[in-house]
Structure formats: C-alpha cells, structure tokens
Amino acid sequence: MRAPAQLVPDDACCSPLRSVPLGAGPAALLARRFAALSDPVRLRLVSLLATSPEGAVCVCDLVEPVGKSQPTVSHHLKVLREAGLVTSEKRGTNVWYAVVPTALESLRVVLGPVPTGG
Amino acid sequence: MRAPAQLVPDDACCSPLRSVPLGAGPAALLARRFAALSDPVRLRLVSLLATSPEGAVCVCDLVEPVGKSQPTVSHHLKVLREAGLVTSEKRGTNVWYAVVPTALESLRVVLGPVPTGG
DNA sequence: TCCAGCCATCGACGTATGTCGATGATAGGC
DNA sequence: GCCTATCATCGACATACGTCGATGGCTGGA
C-alpha cells in the first residue's frame, strides 16, 4: 500500500521552462505534478507535513486541520502520493505521511532560471 | 484588454510551505497559480514565451507549436493571464504575450526550504 | 473470537475544465 | 467604405474533479 501506482517518478523529468521549449511528453509529466498542487486542501496537507517537527503526520491528525471529511482527505493524499510528492508508511493501525523533498525541489528547478547561458 | 481582471496579484502571497502551516486563504491563492501550470498546453505556452529571444511571442506564433485550435490557445492564455503568470500587449493587429518572471519566482519561493531556521 | 479504531475504496452528485466550431470585435490595407 | 487578418468570446459537449455518506479491509486489544 506504500506506493502501489507511482504515476510520476521521484526524480526530475524536465529542464527549466526557460532553457528549451517543452515537448508534449515532458509537459504532460510536469502538468501532473503541478496539478497535485492545484488544490487548496492538498497545499495545506503538504504544508502540514512539511512543517511537522517529526517530518511525518498521521492521517488522523490531518482530517481536522483541513476541515474536510476523512474520505476526502484520503483522496487528496492519494493524489499527492501518485504524483510522487508524498510517501506513506503504515505504523500499526495508523498511516503516516511525509513529503518527498526532492519532488518539490524538482518543481523548483523547472520554475527557476536557465542554468546555462543565463 | 491588457489585464482586465487580474485575479491573482503579481507579488508573492505566501510563505514557503515548510515555514508555517498554510491557511485556507493563502492556500486558495496559491492553488490558483499552480492550477494555471497544471495543463500541458499551458506549460508549453509558458515555455515558448520564456525561451523566446525577444521575451515575447505573438499569438499567431503560438497556435501551431502547441497543436491546438486558436480559440483553445486563446483560452489557455487567458487562464495564464488571470493567474498573473503572463502579460499581454497589443501591437497593431497582433497580441504579444510574455512571462512575468516574478510570478514564477514567487512559486519557486513557496516550494523552497524555509529561509529562517533551516 | 468479537469488537473498536483507522484508513481506503465505492457510488453518486454537482461543478469545473478542456476542446472545438461559429461568431464578434478591432486594426490595417486597398 | 470594404475586405482581410488577428484574436477574444460564445455556446455546446464530453470529461475530469472535489466532495460526501456508506461500506469494506486491517490491525490491535479485550
């Protein structure tokens, strides 16, 4: 259950937007990741995970802060997981989620200035 | 027509995701911007604008590269414009679009590590 | 073994989104 | 003034998405 269908690989897929015109394939890959961040609830979930002192948060501690039902939170976590932005780990009855720093970093690189010839 | 309804302001609206849990308001603002980047066609449009030597591209030169109809391209450009990611300027019969570097930079900041206490 | 708690999945609903053809608005050339 | 070119808007359609209540699968404790 940890990562059954990782639709987007963890590592970066594309060059910065300013380096070379994006092809259809890389654009689709990138779009999936940005789509994962295109919802307020998911952004708040990522923020809650990222700001956690332990680096991971139990699902039971995510439902109340975002103010959505448990199935809705579970759905959003699945979207983030399939986008490769978070990982999940089962501990007893609970499931703990954590952000994947390299995934956020890869998006940062895409938004950044072109490294060569800038 | 340049910027009739700027739904998202140009400057950054939020702290990095890792600094403090995101509130509902800032999350909604950010989500709108990421949503603008959540489509392959729009990502390619931004890339075409960003890689242009002149820094701006006529709409007539955007339709063919992305392989969509002219109304569809116009629709996507509107989404990008209302998200504050691009600007448009009329020159004669043509309309030239250009990226807003600070807008991309603000998203980069949000994805980045917390500046204080990192 | 049974029960309780936690989380994922399912089914359904309303809404938002991407896409196109047709049309309209504006600018420039004859 | 008329025609053409360029781009935005409109209307329509299929699909995707966010949301919830209900349900199911697992785990741990009594």
Side-chain angles (χ1 to χ4, degrees), chain A residues 42 68-69 71-72 75-76 93:
Chain A
R42 288 197 289 269
K68 297 293 177 181
S69 70
T72 296
H75 162 69
H76 285 305
T93 359

Side-chain angles (χ1 to χ4, degrees), chain A residues 8-23 25-35 37 83 85 101-116, chain B residues 33-34 36-40 42-51 85 99-101 103-109 111-112:
Chain A
V8 177
D10 277 5
D11 41 67
C13 71
C14 315
S15 317
L17 291 178
R18 276 169 242 190
S19 65
V20 101
L22 221 52
L29 264 175
L30 263 182
R32 281 196 69 86
R33 282 201 171 160
F34 281 120
L37 296 177
L85 297 180
T102 57
L104 293 181
E105 183 62 24
S106 71
L107 290 182
R108 235 172 74 91
V109 169
V110 170
L111 293 176
V114 45
T116 70
Chain B
R33 282 201 170 161
F34 281 119
L37 296 178
S38 69
D39 183 271
R42 288 197 289 270
L43 278 177
R44 299 185 71 186
L45 288 173
V46 171
S47 182
L48 285 168
L49 300 181
T51 57
L85 297 180
V99 296
V100 177
L104 293 181
E105 182 63 23
S106 71
L107 290 182
R108 235 171 75 90
V109 169
L111 293 177

Side-chain angles (χ1 to χ4, degrees), chain A residues 36-52 57 61-68 73 76-77 80 86 97 99, chain B residues 14-18 20-31 34 110:
Chain A
L37 296 177
S38 70
D39 182 271
V41 175
R42 288 197 289 269
L43 279 176
R44 299 186 70 186
L45 288 174
V46 171
S47 183
L48 285 169
L49 300 181
T51 57
S52 166
V57 182
D61 291 329
L62 292 171
V63 172
E64 188 268 343
V66 301
K68 297 293 177 181
V73 172
H76 285 305
L77 289 172
L80 289 171
V86 306
Y97 278 79
V99 296
Chain B
C14 316
S15 317
L17 291 177
R18 279 170 239 190
V20 103
L22 222 51
L29 266 175
L30 264 183
F34 281 119
V110 170

Side-chain angles (χ1 to χ4, degrees), chain B residues 71-94:
Chain B
T72 296
V73 171
S74 186
H75 162 69
H76 285 304
L77 288 172
K78 181 182 181 182
V79 172
L80 288 170
R81 183 162 23 95
E82 291 182 345
L85 297 180
V86 306
T87 54
S88 61
E89 180 192 359
K90 192 154 192 172
R91 301 185 193 171
T93 348
N94 303 328

Side-chain angles (χ1 to χ4, degrees), chain B residues 6-20:
Chain B
Q6 187 93 346
L7 300 187
V8 177
D10 277 4
D11 41 64
C13 71
C14 316
S15 317
L17 291 177
R18 279 170 239 190
S19 66
V20 103

